[in-house]
Amino acid sequence: MLRLLNIEFHKLRYSKSTKVLTLIYFILPLFIALLASIDFNFIGFNIHVADQGIFNFPYIWHFNSFIISYLKLFLAIVIVSMMSNEYSNRTLKQNLIDGMSKKEFILSKFYTVLAFSAASTVFVFLLSLILGLSFSDYTEFSIIFSELEFLLAYFIKLVGFFSFCMFLGILVKRSAFALGFLFVWWIIEKIVYLVVRFKITHTESGTDSVMQFFPLEATYNLIKQPVTRLNFIQSAANQLQTDISTDYAVHWYSVLIVLVWTTIFVWGSYALLKKRDL
């Protein structure tokens, strides 16, 4: 495993775009810390962000893992480019000539996916821990380390999404077309959602039951939006007598669906590579 990872990181070391995108991915979340010092004027009310509980334990695990997951597109570009460069630079053929099997080649890419996902998860953990210890109203040990399942969900979310990108990189070969295909697939899922919602089930719960099996929707469902958990949102909803209750839990079946898709994408990548005449 380490040998294969060394080979991949040796290739990435000389890619300027990879360095830039990776730095952007890890630097942008640091701006979340700036929210603590920002005051917003909302409908005549002065709102200090840090006082709204977004940095409180254990909520911060949910909030940061959800927000930072939107930045995964930067690393997705790295993953897709990593695959397309193998074809354009002919390093794939050279690796196979040097004795690497096609199975090892796919495993090296998947190990890279795991490494990026793990590094991002550790980063989110450390960032959330520092912000929480600095601004949280609750610092008891049992509270700090509760709801860590959101970090596990974050890791699996990235692994599933990046595996999809890896598969598209092999399927399409060109990074621009692969990213375009990813965007088209996202549109397709939204269209299917509308069709299922208004033509078949006619209910939101029924539609969610169907859409949870689609790859992008499956990864999204791992971590539900945390906004309605905020204290001032809950207070406003109570005053308006509006029910905004949501099931925020990380469910085992959501994890299983993403793991199944991950397996399909890795196996599909190997199957494509095995059948192609390189």
Side-chain angles (χ1 to χ4, degrees):
M1 177 178 177
L2 291 178
R3 178 179 67 87
L4 297 177
L5 273 176
N6 284 333
I7 293 173
E8 291 307 316
F9 283 120
H10 180 74
K11 296 175 184 176
L12 294 174
R13 188 184 308 164
Y14 299 100
S15 173
K16 291 183 179 180
S17 60
T18 295
K19 293 178 181 178
V20 171
L21 290 169
T22 303
L23 282 174
I24 291 174
Y25 179 82
F26 285 104
I27 289 175
L28 282 180
L30 296 178
F31 287 97
I32 293 178
L34 296 177
L35 290 173
S37 59
I38 296 178
D39 290 330
F40 290 100
N41 192 285
F42 181 71
I43 318 180
F45 294 95
N46 190 46
I47 299 176
H48 189 61
V49 176
D51 294 336
Q52 304 310 311
I54 68 171
F55 298 126
N56 280 343
F57 288 118
Y59 176 79
I60 192 171
W61 304 120
H62 186 185
F63 179 80
N64 278 358
S65 60
F66 178 82
I67 296 298
I68 297 177
S69 68
Y70 278 98
L71 300 178
K72 64 183 181 292
L73 183 60
F74 289 103
L75 289 185
I77 297 174
V78 173
I79 299 295
V80 170
S81 298
M82 177 179 69
M83 299 307 305
S84 62
N85 288 341
E86 295 287 356
Y87 291 98
S88 59
N89 298 333
R90 297 185 179 277
T91 50
L92 169 56
K93 184 176 290 187
Q94 187 61 49
N95 285 153
L96 297 179
I97 293 174
D98 291 340
M100 180 184 288
S101 67
K102 291 182 177 180
K103 180 180 179 180
E104 286 180 321
F105 177 81
I106 294 299
L107 283 177
S108 69
K109 301 303 181 184
F110 183 62
Y111 291 153
T112 305
V113 164
L114 292 177
F116 275 125
S117 301
S120 181
T121 303
V122 171
F123 176 74
V124 172
F125 170 78
L126 293 176
L127 177 63
S128 302
L129 187 64
I130 293 171
L131 288 174
L133 291 175
S134 301
F135 299 105
S136 177
D137 296 329
Y138 313 102
T139 55
E140 292 82 358
F141 185 86
S142 59
I143 296 179
I144 290 176
F145 293 102
S146 61
E147 297 191 16
L148 284 178
E149 64 269 16
F150 286 108
L151 287 180
L152 174 62
Y154 177 80
F155 173 75
I156 295 173
K157 183 188 186 84
L158 293 190
V159 171
F161 182 73
F162 293 156
S163 296
F164 189 19
C165 294
M166 180 183 74
F167 172 75
L168 292 179
I170 292 181
L171 178 66
V172 185
K173 296 184 181 181
R174 295 181 180 273
S175 56
F177 289 117
L179 291 171
F181 188 95
L182 180 65
F183 179 68
V184 170
W185 184 261
W186 176 77
I187 293 176
I188 289 173
E189 287 198 13
K190 294 303 178 184
I191 294 174
V192 172
Y193 178 91
L194 294 175
V195 172
V196 174
R197 176 71 173 82
F198 297 104
K199 295 294 184 179
I200 301 176
T201 64
H202 302 288
T203 63
E204 185 175 353
S205 60
T207 304
D208 291 340
S209 298
V210 174
M211 296 304 301
Q212 67 177 334
F213 295 104
F214 286 71
L216 293 182
E217 190 67 21
T219 58
Y220 178 83
N221 284 340
L222 280 174
I223 305 176
K224 300 293 178 64
Q225 60 79 21
V227 178
T228 51
R229 287 184 66 181
L230 287 170
N231 294 332
F232 77 94
I233 297 292
Q234 291 285 346
S235 299
N238 291 333
Q239 291 178 1
L240 296 173
Q241 296 183 343
T242 303
D243 182 17
I244 57 171
S245 59
T246 303
D247 182 8
Y248 303 106
V250 178
H251 296 288
W252 66 268
Y253 51 84
S254 297
V255 172
L256 180 61
I257 292 171
V258 175
L259 291 178
V260 169
W261 274 115
T262 301
T263 303
I264 292 173
F265 292 139
V266 175
W267 176 85
S269 299
Y270 175 65
L272 280 173
L273 191 63
K274 191 175 181 181
K275 291 182 178 180
R276 279 180 177 165
D277 183 12
L278 302 177

